Amino acid sequence: MSYLVLARKWRPRTFDELVGQDHVRRALTNALDSGRIHHAFLFTGTRGVGKTTIARIFAKSLNCERGVTSKPCGECSACRDIDAGRFVDLLEVDAASRTKVDDTRELLENVQYAPARGRYKVYLIDEVHMLSTHSFNALLKTLEEPPPHVKFLLATTDPQKLPVTVLSRCLQFHLRRLPLALIQDRLASIAQAEGIESEPAALRAIARSAEGSMRDALSLLDQVIAFGGGRVLEAEARTLLGTLDRRHVETILNALADQDGAALMECAARLDERAPDYTQALAELAASIQRMALLQALPDLRGEDEEQDAALATLAGRFTPEDLQLLYQIAILARRDLDYAPDARGGFEMALLRMLAFRPEAMNVGATAPRAATPPASGPAR
Ligand SMILES: [Zn+2]
């Protein structure tokens, strides 16, 4: 038997299991429970935030053999076939790969036929904005006079490209990127259920790299598990994700506070051995600096990661607010300009050297900006 990837194994099967998107869950369960179900829904939002998952749960709710319900049983053959992706009356179409007029016409001609097995035929048309004009017109005609046994679930990452005539006939929901903490919690509970040892910092790094997409987070978790021989440790996760771990961030910021160019370049060299993704590394650095600025301004702030906050608060004590603003600006501009650097490592190193050269406090006290190879100063700069 082939290994089932986590994203599929742990795909939520009921509205109760759905993580995030509470506004959509509420609207759909209310509609199902009241029996007033609109015939066309439009889900907008980025990839990997639950469009297919929601469509499948909705299809089960409509077709569960125990009746239309917001809590499909998950056991009848309709529920099980939908979960397995082989239910004939759930038609999933990716318009991005099916823009040919004939295909869509064929699809929409079949709309008129009654469902083969279930109560409703459910059409999930993903990336609906990619349909040709001709296909749009065909779809529109169907939306104007939908047969009673059909529900449309349209999804798009780019609603601007949809004609108003389509928008006005759909109930529209925006699916949000999932918050970092929500993804991290989900990863933790899945790791626990799978009996996989995991470090919170590793899960957090994965969650951050996923940028709001649960599917991306789970596929990264798969990769880290494989890479780490069944364990999810921070060092391995960072290596795989190409991100900075917190020890690197702390070393870099301490070297900057010390005005220690040698330590700074040594850290860059150690980092390079792991062939990091420098765009990600600069993003991590910027995120840490931003957190430091926040902790400086709001000392009583309590975050999800108290240990890391404590370390960053200590570091923040070594910089003025103006310093942190400047360091942050240098980090994000370097990230933006990384493609223009002769090579990524060079671009990263230049950013660190710029941070070293432009520390205003050091300049204010009349010190000249030290060169990269300057040996460590006898004491920290004031
Ligand atoms: Zn069922």
Side-chain angles (χ1 to χ4, degrees):
M1 209 178 96
S2 65
Y3 172 70
L4 193 57
V5 296
L6 292 176
R8 283 177 53 206
K9 181 171 177 186
W10 291 91
R11 187 195 281 279
R13 297 180 189 284
T14 64
F15 284 115
D16 286 339
E17 285 175 20
L18 191 66
V19 175
Q21 319 301 3
D22 288 342
H23 58 304
V24 180
R25 166 170 39 193
R26 224 171 114 182
L28 292 181
T29 53
N30 284 345
L32 287 161
D33 290 340
S34 69
R36 280 194 298 274
I37 306 162
H38 204 271
H39 63 273
F41 296 83
L42 175 66
F43 300 112
T44 63
T46 179
R47 45 185 293 284
V49 292
K51 288 178 297 222
T52 308
T53 298
I54 289 171
R56 287 203 179 161
I57 299 172
F58 194 59
K60 278 194 291 187
S61 300
L62 291 169
N63 283 311
C64 177
E65 286 168 10
R66 301 191 187 168
V68 175
T69 168
S70 63
K71 296 183 191 307
C73 73
E75 290 163 1
C76 68
S77 68
C79 283
R80 277 189 285 125
D81 283 354
I82 290 169
D83 279 336
R86 55 162 188 256
F87 189 68
V88 287
D89 292 319
L90 172 60
L91 297 111
E92 296 186 33
V93 181
D94 182 0
S97 67
R98 194 173 174 147
T99 46
K100 275 185 293 176
V101 174
D102 285 351
D103 288 349
T104 315
R105 186 184 296 149
E106 177 201 337
L107 179 83
L108 293 172
E109 272 169 7
N110 291 339
V111 163
Q112 300 304 329
Y113 298 117
R117 275 191 58 193
R119 244 172 251 113
Y120 292 98
K121 282 212 277 200
V122 180
Y123 285 81
L124 170 62
I125 306 180
D126 203 3
E127 297 300 357
V128 64
H129 66 275
M130 306 277 281
L131 289 177
S132 66
T133 313
H134 192 286
S135 303
F136 252 126
N137 291 338
L139 175 65
L140 193 59
K141 211 170 286 172
T142 315
L143 287 178
E144 278 168 353
E145 292 174 55
H149 58 264
V150 171
K151 301 291 175 194
F152 281 100
L153 304 179
L154 311 179
T156 180
T157 48
D158 200 353
Q160 314 270 35
K161 293 204 179 124
L162 288 176
V164 174
T165 43
V166 168
L167 292 175
S168 67
R169 286 180 170 79
C170 297
L171 271 189
Q172 196 173 331
F173 294 101
H174 183 66
L175 299 187
R176 303 189 179 104
R177 284 173 193 276
L178 300 170
L180 181 66
L182 208 62
I183 295 180
Q184 188 184 349
D185 286 351
R186 178 81 176 151
L187 294 178
S189 66
I190 288 175
Q192 194 181 21
E194 294 276 334
I196 288 163
E197 182 194 338
S198 67
E199 290 179 347
L203 298 179
R204 191 171 181 78
I206 293 169
R208 176 170 287 136
S209 287
E211 295 185 338
S213 159
M214 189 66 83
R215 184 172 63 210
D216 286 357
L218 290 175
S219 96
L220 288 171
L221 183 62
D222 268 326
Q223 292 174 41
V224 175
I225 290 169
F227 184 72
R231 294 190 303 172
V232 182
L233 305 181
E234 185 184 7
E236 271 94 5
R238 296 282 183 183
T239 304
L240 193 78
L241 300 170
T243 54
L244 284 178
D245 68 32
R246 70 175 76 167
R247 283 180 302 276
H248 277 105
V249 172
E250 285 167 22
T251 308
I252 286 171
L253 290 164
N254 273 317
L256 287 171
D258 293 340
Q259 291 281 290
D260 185 345
L264 199 58
M265 288 303 102
E266 194 191 306
C267 183
R270 271 206 313 277
L271 186 68
D272 193 64
E273 287 167 10
R274 306 189 337 193
D277 172 346
Y278 280 107
T279 307
Q280 270 290 329
L282 285 165
E284 285 284 325
L285 191 57
S288 295
I289 295 167
Q290 183 240 334
R291 189 75 192 164
M292 285 161 67
L294 207 57
L295 290 164
Q296 227 175 26
L298 309 168
D300 295 332
L301 192 69
R302 288 286 166 275
E304 296 142 9
D305 192 340
E306 287 182 24
E307 197 187 324
Q308 186 175 16
D309 275 353
L312 289 178
T314 306
L315 271 170
R318 306 196 63 192
F319 295 89
T320 67
E322 293 83 357
D323 282 344
L324 292 181
Q325 286 298 326
L326 191 65
L327 297 183
Y328 179 80
Q329 195 67 14
I330 292 172
I332 60 170
L333 289 181
R335 183 172 184 241
R336 185 194 69 185
D337 293 343
L338 203 59
D339 283 346
Y340 297 107
D343 60 86
R345 179 183 174 175
F348 184 74
E349 283 186 359
M350 275 307 277
L352 297 184
L353 292 173
R354 204 170 308 138
M355 290 174 179
L356 192 67
F358 284 110
R359 274 207 52 205
E361 199 192 2
M363 290 162 78
N364 287 346
V365 296
T368 48
R371 289 186 306 274
T374 305
S378 53
R382 285 178 195 283

